[in-house]
Amino acid sequence: MSILDSSLDQTQVRQLLRRLGIEERNSGVYHDDWASPGGEEIDVLSPADGRRLASVTLGLEEDYDDAAYTARHAWPKWRDTPAPRRGEIVREIGNELRSAKDDLGMLVSLEAGKILAEGRGEVQEMNDIADFAVGLSRQLYGLTMHSERPAHRMYEQWHPLGLIGCITAFNFPVAVWSWNALIAAVCGDCVIWKPSEKTPLTSIAVHNIVRRVMERHGFAGVFTLVNGRGDVIGERMIADRRVPLVSATGSCHMGRRVAEVVGERLGRTLLELGGNNGLIVMPDANPQLVMRAVLFGAVGTAGQRCTTLRRLFIHRDCADEYVEYLKKMWTKIRVGHPLDPKTLCGPLIDQSAINQMEQGLADAREQGGELFFGGERVELDYEGKPLLGGLYCRPALVLANSSMAITKVEVFAPILYVMFFDDLDDAIRQQNDVPQGLSSAIFTDNLRNAERFLGHAGSDCGIANVNIGTSGAEIGGAFGGEKDTGGGRESGSDAWKAYMRRQTVTINWSEELPLAQGIEFDL
């Protein structure tokens, strides 16, 4: 039986879910064990075909408080465990996730609508970040500084913050949790996870995997989970003074609310918000590289990535050539069930996403854009039978210009705006002229063009690539963006510092008490 066959067979789906510890009805709250939450029970429907996968009972404020209480009491023991030992436990988590890669990747595809290659790729990201975190557990370095005072030593050291709140989005339902949770764990923190209401089953599956490891070592409560509504659990978390850092991934609108409430209590935020990513094509670019990067960047995850390519800037000297390339390539995109290996573009997450795409295209036409391919709903069938309940749209190409208001808005759908420019400075100006600042790219074989794009007057984004597309971040490089994207950095470089507090230490080993700056203060 093929993967596609099994995806459409309820018995096979049920077996998959049970291997991941998911039953017909599930608790959405875990602290030191699975709880009996007091919220509503919701059915989880696959965006691929509308079928019910399982039900989840959501948590209320009191369920969140129970999870926070458990995490707070688990923290001292975890904090006092040596960091390399914490790293060894995270290594075991990575191994368990690696063993479950195929099943968990398929669940990501069924619940979030990602094609299977992307579902498995997301689980691979979890494996990679676990490996990264293990190495990091022996590299939580501070600095030693020279004191201006004799017989004094100065250095900095880093301490765990305590409880980390982690709010994740549907489009990366497990990977972004791992970016935060596994690094925070080796830093000595406990993590409370509030997933998207649209993808609760993947969070339950991950916690079934992680809890086996943590309970084996006597650390139940280090990772807790509260599925619930944003206006209930999310609001409770961001207002909670027990949580010094809230890491939130989602829309700019959501991020502003998080920043406002957490900032009012002088807490910290780590924000990964909207992107409106641009790619510049110079006349000397390699067309083969350009088109492969544009295809994955614009169509991957059905345009529902924060790093999705949304604006393509083509030099006028090669504009006609690339427009023809785009037309030919877009006609070949296979829209279909995410578990079909031939599919390149799966479903959007829900009807509101369909509505957003349709409204975005209507706005583009009203503002002078020309829709020259795609944008329509796609009705699928399987073995001659309608595939009911699927949320499929054909990826759209729109001829546009950067003065159109819609091009400055992140429409979370597979819409690619194609625009033209006369010189590189003009292209960079257009690319930067949006509120968001996440990812950017240029394709050129000219060293001067590349360095101009990467220089101080070049891209203003947190990610700037040369001859690589905007989408597909690699573990090890700090991920995040500027402006309305929120300024957060995760999953690489020195991003671990976000989950710790810095302490400067001065030790006087003399029998005198000299003051800094030569101040004398004697009676």
Side-chain angles (χ1 to χ4, degrees), residues 215-260:
E215 289 175 359
R216 187 160 65 232
H217 293 282
F219 285 110
V222 169
F223 300 106
T224 55
L225 171 70
V226 188
N227 277 285
R229 301 293 183 188
D231 58 358
V232 178
I233 304 304
E235 288 291 329
R236 181 72 185 97
M237 176 184 285
I238 63 179
D240 188 356
R241 290 183 176 272
R242 293 169 294 184
V243 180
L245 171 68
V246 176
S247 175
T249 301
S251 68
C252 296
H253 174 76
M254 180 272 283
R256 290 188 182 94
R257 175 62 181 170
V258 172
E260 176 186 8

Side-chain angles (χ1 to χ4, degrees), residues 368-385:
E370 177 189 346
L371 174 64
F372 68 94
F373 186 84
E376 70 272 16
R377 290 289 296 267
V378 176
E379 298 296 333
L380 301 181
D381 63 76
Y382 176 70
E383 293 184 345
K385 298 179 181 179

Side-chain angles (χ1 to χ4, degrees), residues 439-462:
S439 187
S440 59
I442 187 172
F443 277 74
T444 179
D445 284 344
N446 184 296
L447 178 64
R448 290 187 177 89
N449 289 339
E451 292 297 329
R452 175 66 174 164
F453 176 76
L454 298 173
H456 295 313
S459 170
D460 65 359
C461 296

